[in-house]
Amino acid sequence: AMKILNSSQLSSLPLQILLYVNGIYYVFYFLATLAMIIYKSQVFSYPDDFLAPDLAVLFLMAILEVPRLYLGFKGNLTEAEAPLGLSLGLTVGSVVLCVYLLLWQTYVLWADVLLNALLLAAYALESGLKVMAIAAFVS
Amino acid sequence: VAKLCVCDLLVAQCDVNCCCDPDCSAEDFSLFTTCSVPVVTGDSRLCSQKAAVYSLDVEANPPERIFNLIDQVNPSIFCIHATNYKQALYLKSPEIPTPENFDRLLEKYGGATFSAEPDSWNLDTDAQNPPDANETYRYEYGVPVQTEDAFLRLPSPVVSSWCSDENPAGFLVNQATKCIRAVSVEKCDSIRALSMLFYINSSILASVFQVNITVQSIIAQSLNGMRTLLDSSDVLRLPMVLGELCINAVLGVNYHITYTDTGEIIEAAAAFVLGAISKEALSIEQSFEISFTQENTQPVPLSGNPGYVVGLPVRAGFRPPGYPFPAEFLFAALALSSSKHSQLTILQSTSTQDCLAAQGARAPVLFGYNMISGCKLRISAAMKCQPLAQTLLDVLKGQSFPEYVASFGNSQAQDVLDWVPITQLHISEQIISNTLQSLCQIPVSLGIEVKWTKYGSLVNPQARIVNVTATVTTTTLKQLPSGRERIIPVTTSVVFTDISSPAEPGYKAWPTINIKLPFDFFYPFV
């Protein structure tokens, strides 16, 4: 019997790579942002009622990231569109929090701008790939 | 930024070498040598900001000022890109009083003092208020004495002479303060600080139970200053308005706190001075004092703790006869030098300088102060030798010359080894004379030499008396032909000599290295 050379794999390899890299980058991003908030609170005048929302947003984003990445991996590997769709929804939430840290934080340092811009770019690319993957799975 | 100028101090005049001064004209600029303020920028931590740069072009003739508005960039990666917090980079401007917030601001800032967090120390004592009442409450030196609501207050002047009620009394810190309080006769029964209740209201937290402050005595002071001790000190007298006066107002409080040797307070008493305030008085002076006494001891003024303090009297005493030496000393074996009788004293020089008339006037020997005093003795032929010698000895040594001197400033009577015996020496100036007349020796000088050493650690040495020698020098009195008089000077001196040995360093023991080979280290061979 002839081997089917044309593989019927629908899982998106670029999406998988991007999710993996995103996970590693996120750990670095979280630690760097936390360290910078601590640095800012020592060097600048950072009263408690401004410090609390910033820290809350950072930790909320970390909590959202874990299920988001897990669902993304699972959906892509099992070629199921439901987890991928859920992951896309969580991505929207993460994007909002990232935009907060980019624009509405109490002190936005240049390093903050770089880290957040990079993360936003990753999210955008990921969202695009997820949409394409869902389209491939559904059809 | 272009309009800011730090060196523009004179109004409407040109400041010298100030390149940003708008009052300067081109001719003024040509006279400058340098620019004292070359750059005016905002906060340099921002990523990009405007900067006004001023410089002088000395090449041109005449020199002219160059002004540039440039964008200064902070290359650091941690420069502030944006902030959403208005007061981040600016000083906070204070609240402007308006009719709405005036009362609140007055309450917060209107007193003589205010702190950044006015409620913080009240909250602290609430947290410390023992729900664990079983734990004994011990105080250390300097720790504020705690009461039910806050601390035991000793009102004292803070910045000005006005009384501030927030001064806590420290444990074992004897204090005496005086301050002025604003009063008005009409409202004198509502001013809390004038009533006795304010000072004895709260009870002191100490050991298992709380110690109430009892009223020890009440002294009433009349308007002309005369004081009488009132008999009944258990009746609480509150200030009242009586005609044009306000009576029973507190003019002074004297706290006496008794403590055990483990630092627990067992008793507290307050002695009040109550007085009357007349209508014209707008302020009165109140005086407060607190003293701490250890239980079962008499309050003896210490001359240092433990080493002698320069300027405090040297403590001395006697050993009552009949006590075996050294061990069986009972509690009050040595008479303490609180009474004038057994203090180390020397003759005090008087204006008349007559030895015989000066009996009785003695000055205490103060630690560290070398003293010399004297008098003149007038001898006539009629005076007999022996009584004269005895009188002079009394004049020199005083009525009760002590036998022991305390080694430390706080030596207790029970500790035998802390007391140094006074060595008595006699030196007689013998004049070898040809005659065989019986020679009369009279004492003419007493020299007390106190040898002391520094004791303890190098950074906080304590003075300790090691040796006291009292030397009486006698001289021969030649018989005078009758009718003639002679004047002999008699001197007393006290000298303090420092015989401290140089400090020795004390090192910790070298750490020992404890290496042992295991039992079977050389197994195959052993």
Side-chain angles (χ1 to χ4, degrees):
Chain A
M2 231 172 42
K3 244 197 183 159
I4 306 174
L5 291 172
N6 186 10
S7 117
S8 59
Q9 177 194 320
L10 293 176
S11 309
S12 157
L13 181 61
L15 178 61
Q16 194 68 15
I17 298 175
L18 192 57
L19 282 174
Y20 188 71
V21 168
N22 194 351
I24 297 177
Y25 175 70
Y26 189 77
V27 173
F28 166 72
Y29 167 88
F30 177 78
L31 292 173
T33 308
L34 189 62
M36 279 202 291
I37 289 184
I38 294 173
Y39 163 76
K40 281 182 254 182
S41 72
Q42 300 299 314
V43 171
F44 303 126
S45 137
Y46 212 148
D48 284 343
D49 33 355
F50 287 90
L51 183 58
D54 291 351
L55 279 178
V57 164
L58 184 64
F59 279 94
L60 190 60
M61 209 160 102
I63 292 173
L64 276 184
E65 193 72 10
V66 173
R68 191 186 77 93
L69 285 176
Y70 172 73
L71 289 169
F73 275 117
K74 185 167 150 198
N76 194 21
L77 290 176
T78 59
E79 298 179 6
E81 56 273 1
L84 264 188
L86 211 51
S87 178
L88 199 57
L90 288 177
T91 307
V92 172
S94 287
V95 161
V96 167
L97 295 178
C98 186
V99 165
Y100 173 90
L101 287 179
L102 178 65
L103 291 181
W104 298 311
Q105 224 186 128
T106 309
Y107 291 96
V108 183
L109 304 184
W110 184 236
D112 275 322
V113 172
L114 288 177
L115 285 173
N116 283 295
L118 207 54
L119 196 64
L120 267 183
Y123 284 163
L125 199 54
E126 237 178 64
S127 305
L129 286 175
K130 275 184 198 159
V131 167
M132 280 171 35
I134 292 179
F137 296 161
V138 166
S139 65
Chain B
V1 186
K3 298 197 210 94
L4 286 176
C5 197
V6 182
C7 53
D8 180 12
L9 302 168
L10 299 170
V11 175
Q13 277 184 46
C14 182
D15 292 83
V16 180
N17 272 348
C18 186
C19 297
C20 53
D21 196 343
D23 309 312
C24 295
S25 62
E27 295 96 35
D28 297 318
F29 285 131
S30 61
L31 299 171
F32 290 168
T33 49
T34 65
C35 280
S36 59
V37 174
V39 173
V40 180
T41 64
D43 192 339
S44 60
R45 286 187 291 211
L46 294 173
C47 285
S48 108
Q49 55 187 316
K50 288 231 176 292
V53 180
Y54 301 93
S55 59
L56 270 186
D57 181 15
V58 288
E59 303 294 316
N61 187 11
E64 31 176 61
R65 173 199 80 161
I66 305 179
F67 166 63
N68 282 329
L69 201 62
I70 61 170
D71 279 320
Q72 197 179 51
V73 173
N74 185 351
S76 157
I77 198 167
F78 297 120
C79 63
I80 301 177
H81 188 250
T83 77
N84 290 307
Y85 170 44
K86 274 281 156 38
Q87 296 111 309
L89 306 166
Y90 307 99
L91 292 173
K92 203 162 93 157
S93 43
E95 275 185 73
I96 305 286
T98 62
E100 289 80 46
N101 64 8
F102 189 77
D103 288 320
R104 182 176 55 84
L105 286 179
L106 185 65
E107 199 186 293
K108 194 167 172 204
Y109 298 116
T113 61
F114 56 87
S115 68
E117 295 172 85
D119 298 320
S120 66
W121 59 247
N122 278 334
L123 290 176
D124 258 351
T125 62
D126 280 345
Q128 278 181 24
N129 239 342
D132 44 348
N134 288 334
E135 204 181 84
T136 53
Y137 215 107
R138 276 164 214 215
Y139 287 97
E140 292 174 4
Y141 177 85
V143 168
V145 176
Q146 294 200 334
T147 62
E148 273 178 314
D149 43 357
F151 296 113
L152 184 67
R153 287 184 208 90
L154 205 72
S156 68
V158 178
V159 175
S160 55
S161 319
W162 297 98
C163 288
S164 154
D165 289 331
E166 310 295 338
N167 179 38
F171 186 65
L172 291 189
V173 178
N174 294 336
Q175 271 183 305
T177 59
K178 279 192 205 204
C179 59
I180 303 180
R181 193 162 312 257
V183 295
S184 77
V185 176
E186 296 87 46
K187 297 219 274 301
C188 84
D189 45 357
S190 60
I191 301 179
R192 285 168 60 217
L194 286 180
S195 105
M196 275 171 68
L197 212 56
F198 179 65
Y199 299 100
I200 60 173
N201 200 0
S202 47
S203 46
I204 296 178
L205 296 178
S207 74
V208 189
F209 43 83
Q210 293 178 347
V211 176
N212 283 328
I213 306 180
T214 56
V215 177
Q216 196 178 29
S217 63
I218 302 182
I219 295 179
Q221 176 170 326
S222 66
L223 271 180
N224 56 5
M226 203 162 74
R227 292 187 172 188
T228 36
L229 182 63
L230 297 180
D231 295 326
S232 56
S233 60
D234 43 355
V235 173
L236 203 63
R237 289 161 197 273
L238 295 176
M240 298 190 306
V241 183
L242 203 66
E244 290 210 339
L245 299 178
C246 173
I247 61 169
N248 292 338
V250 171
L251 294 183
V253 186
N254 205 327
Y255 289 105
H256 296 280
I257 314 258
T258 313
Y259 63 98
T260 67
D261 50 358
T262 52
E264 296 165 4
I265 295 182
I266 49 175
E267 218 184 296
F272 286 93
V273 174
L274 300 180
I277 311 175
S278 62
K279 199 157 158 212
E280 299 86 33
L282 291 175
S283 62
I284 53 166
E285 185 183 64
Q286 292 183 313
S287 59
F288 301 94
E289 202 182 316
I290 186 165
S291 61
F292 291 87
T293 320
Q294 198 170 345
E295 64 167 345
N296 295 335
T297 62
Q298 294 284 50
V300 171
L302 295 177
S303 297
N305 198 15
Y308 272 100
V309 172
V310 169
L312 292 183
V314 171
R315 300 178 58 219
F318 300 90
R319 180 155 53 101
Y323 273 102
F325 186 81
E328 282 101 2
F329 268 74
L330 290 181
F331 179 77
L334 286 166
L336 297 174
S337 61
S338 56
S339 60
K340 289 255 165 58
H341 295 302
S342 46
Q343 224 179 18
L344 192 62
T345 56
I346 61 167
L347 175 73
Q348 190 172 32
S349 307
T350 57
S351 52
T352 58
Q353 293 188 5
D354 190 354
C355 290
L356 302 174
Q359 282 178 5
R362 302 197 65 84
V365 173
L366 304 176
F367 184 81
Y369 287 173
N370 297 342
M371 300 201 263
I372 189 165
S373 65
C375 57
K376 289 199 172 76
L377 182 66
R378 204 169 237 166
I379 303 183
S380 60
M383 286 185 177
K384 298 264 187 291
C385 179
Q386 254 325 95
L388 185 61
Q390 190 53 43
T391 316
L392 272 182
L393 205 59
D394 277 341
V395 165
L396 284 175
K397 285 197 171 176
Q399 293 297 82
S400 52
F401 194 69
E403 298 170 6
Y404 286 85
V405 167
S407 173
F408 284 110
N410 65 348
S411 300
Q412 298 294 321
Q414 313 86 293
D415 305 324
V416 178
L417 300 172
D418 272 348
W419 294 76
V420 170
I422 299 184
T423 319
Q424 311 244 9
L425 290 182
H426 278 267
I427 298 181
S428 60
E429 296 173 356
Q430 292 270 7
I431 302 176
I432 303 174
S433 82
N434 296 332
T435 70
L436 290 171
Q437 278 180 341
S438 62
L439 296 172
C440 174
Q441 298 275 352
I442 52 166
V444 285
S445 95
L446 170 69
I448 301 180
E449 188 180 1
V450 180
K451 294 204 177 93
W452 63 278
T453 170
K454 295 201 194 92
Y455 187 80
S457 72
L458 187 63
V459 295
N460 191 13
Q462 304 295 317
R464 176 188 186 177
I465 293 183
V466 179
N467 194 345
V468 179
T469 314
T471 313
V472 176
T473 313
T474 60
T475 182
T476 344
L477 181 63
K478 288 206 287 273
Q479 265 309 81
L480 285 172
S482 65
R484 297 282 295 272
E485 279 195 342
R486 221 175 114 199
I487 296 183
I488 303 182
V490 172
T491 55
T492 325
S493 67
V494 182
V495 172
F496 285 86
T497 323
D498 181 2
I499 58 165
S500 357
S501 47
E504 288 168 8
Y507 295 114
K508 287 208 287 205
W510 276 99
T512 55
I513 302 177
N514 223 347
I515 305 181
K516 265 192 179 151
L517 292 175
F519 179 65
D520 51 359
F521 190 71
F522 295 113
Y523 171 60
F525 307 105
V526 171

